[in-house]
Amino acid sequence: QVLSFVIPTQLQRVTHRALHRLFHTRSRLFVVLHVALQAAVYGEYSWEVFVYCWELQFHLLLLLLPYLLLAGNMACFILCSRADPGIITKSNHASLVKMYVYDGVLFQKGIVCPTCDMEKPARSKHCSFCGTCVHRFDHHCVWVNNCIGAFNAKYFFLYLFTLTAMAATIAILTAAFLIQVVLLSDMMHGTYIDDQGQEQAVEILFLIQHLFLTFPRIVFMLGFVILLTLVLGAYCCFSLYLALTNQTSNEWYKSRRYGCSHCLTLQPCDGQVVYKNIYSKGIWMNLKEIFKPCTVLEGKKK
């Protein structure tokens, strides 16, 4: 009975430590998984879809578009993972504190980070993964193994956009190939014998089953990239919304505790504080803040 209690307890501790190292420290595991998934999709696209589409006389530039997007995506990935997101240090702390005012709701003046032993500038947050405070902290992305902050947010947005475009382009080309196969075979006007021995006209479900049996890997890849396009597209739209309204993921999540508004003042509502986004300066200035962030030196001049 003692062993039956001790062994599961030790197993739980080991599992907890492994999960803590995986999800609470910087790890390259998700980067490797990310690269492996890209390699699998592009391997299948190059090995079958590209060859079949070339035989069907698809335009070469259209077939090469996924590779051009891949090159741009890898460049954005490297920049995003290697760039300084805006780590707050003793030397730049004084300048970064002056970048944004405290709104008094999400960011309070005088809050000291117990780990970094510095007052937290407005819109900053301590990242438990990296062990540092980050200026204009958005989130820690395990797929690039780095924080997303003021100085690499533009690279992350471009990385996300090109990743979505890659998945969408491969999905469109793969679907176009399968549609071309169906049209050339004139399968839609055919018939088949069902389990009861009755002759039936070809339906969509039968067509999908036939294509899956004929091109199993291609159909499976198509389903995967369509799902990926939908998920990434939704996240890309959300990131664009945050950029246009000058919010970070961290701020958006924290603001859910309060009433949602984008006005420039704070107002009480039934005795409760309603959060108002004071950092939005209009669509153009908000985008400029993402793609041309104010540096420490520029902050000193101001």
Side-chain angles (χ1 to χ4, degrees):
Q1 291 179 347
V2 174
L3 286 176
S4 64
F5 174 77
V6 171
I7 292 176
T9 303
Q10 291 179 342
L11 182 61
Q12 288 177 359
R13 289 176 180 175
V14 172
T15 304
H16 176 74
R17 289 172 184 171
L19 291 175
H20 185 273
R21 284 195 295 268
L22 179 60
F23 291 104
H24 294 279
T25 57
R26 296 189 66 174
S27 171
R28 292 186 176 88
L29 175 62
F30 289 97
V31 176
V32 174
L33 179 61
H34 161 231
V35 174
L37 287 174
Q38 278 192 339
V41 170
Y42 269 86
E44 180 61 26
Y45 172 78
S46 303
W47 185 256
E48 293 199 77
V49 178
F50 183 94
V51 175
Y52 288 140
C53 288
W54 177 254
E55 292 177 354
L56 292 173
Q57 298 182 342
F58 278 56
H59 198 284
L60 179 60
L61 184 60
L62 189 63
L63 296 178
L64 292 177
L65 183 57
Y67 299 106
L68 298 176
L69 290 170
L70 177 63
N73 179 257
M74 292 306 296
C76 294
F77 170 79
I78 294 172
L79 289 171
C80 190
S81 61
R82 296 295 182 90
D84 175 15
I87 296 175
I88 302 173
T89 62
K90 297 289 185 181
S91 59
N92 64 16
H93 178 265
S95 298
L96 294 179
V97 166
K98 300 175 183 178
M99 290 286 186
Y100 299 107
V101 298
Y102 294 91
D103 63 5
V105 180
L106 301 185
F107 306 103
Q108 304 282 351
K109 187 176 178 59
I111 303 297
V112 177
C113 175
T115 304
C116 301
D117 194 26
M118 291 183 294
E119 182 184 7
K120 290 183 178 180
R123 310 193 76 181
S124 69
K125 186 179 184 296
H126 182 84
C127 176
S128 59
F129 292 86
C130 302
T132 57
C133 285
V134 178
H135 174 53
R136 199 182 183 278
F137 178 86
D138 191 277
H139 71 288
H140 182 92
C141 181
V142 295
W143 300 106
V144 301
N145 198 29
N146 196 10
C147 280
I148 308 303
F151 302 146
N152 66 347
K154 57 184 175 183
Y155 301 133
F156 178 75
F157 182 80
L158 293 174
Y159 160 77
L160 187 60
F161 176 78
T162 53
L163 196 62
T164 306
M166 283 164 48
T169 303
I170 292 178
I172 292 171
L173 287 171
T174 305
F177 158 68
L178 293 176
I179 291 173
Q180 190 75 354
V181 168
V182 171
L183 294 176
L184 290 174
S185 63
D186 201 28
M187 194 181 304
M188 290 299 296
H189 299 93
T191 59
Y192 69 98
I193 305 299
D194 62 14
D195 296 336
Q196 285 74 36
Q198 301 293 324
E199 186 176 10
Q200 302 287 345
V202 171
E203 300 172 347
I204 296 297
L205 182 60
F206 176 85
L207 190 61
I208 294 174
Q209 291 176 342
H210 176 76
L211 289 173
F212 184 78
L213 292 173
T214 308
F215 308 103
R217 294 198 305 270
I218 294 179
V219 174
F220 180 80
M221 183 192 73
L222 176 60
F224 175 74
V225 292
I226 287 177
L227 178 62
L228 200 60
T229 301
L230 295 175
V231 173
L232 290 173
Y235 188 34
C236 197
C237 290
F238 176 66
S239 298
L240 179 60
Y241 160 75
L242 293 179
L244 294 176
T245 57
N246 204 330
Q247 295 184 89
T248 65
S249 298
N250 177 54
E251 292 165 1
W252 180 86
Y253 175 76
K254 291 172 69 175
S255 69
R256 299 305 94 188
R257 304 172 191 173
Y258 308 98
C260 184
S261 177
H262 301 297
C263 299
L264 300 180
T265 58
L266 291 170
Q267 296 178 353
C269 180
D270 298 330
Q272 295 182 348
V273 176
V274 178
Y275 171 67
K276 310 290 182 177
N277 181 16
I278 67 171
Y279 302 113
S280 181
K281 304 171 185 176
I283 292 177
W284 173 251
M285 293 302 295
N286 291 343
L287 289 176
K288 184 178 179 182
E289 188 171 318
I290 295 292
F291 290 96
K292 192 180 178 182
C294 186
T295 63
V296 175
L297 292 177
E298 290 171 347
K300 288 181 179 180
K301 291 178 182 179
K302 293 181 179 180

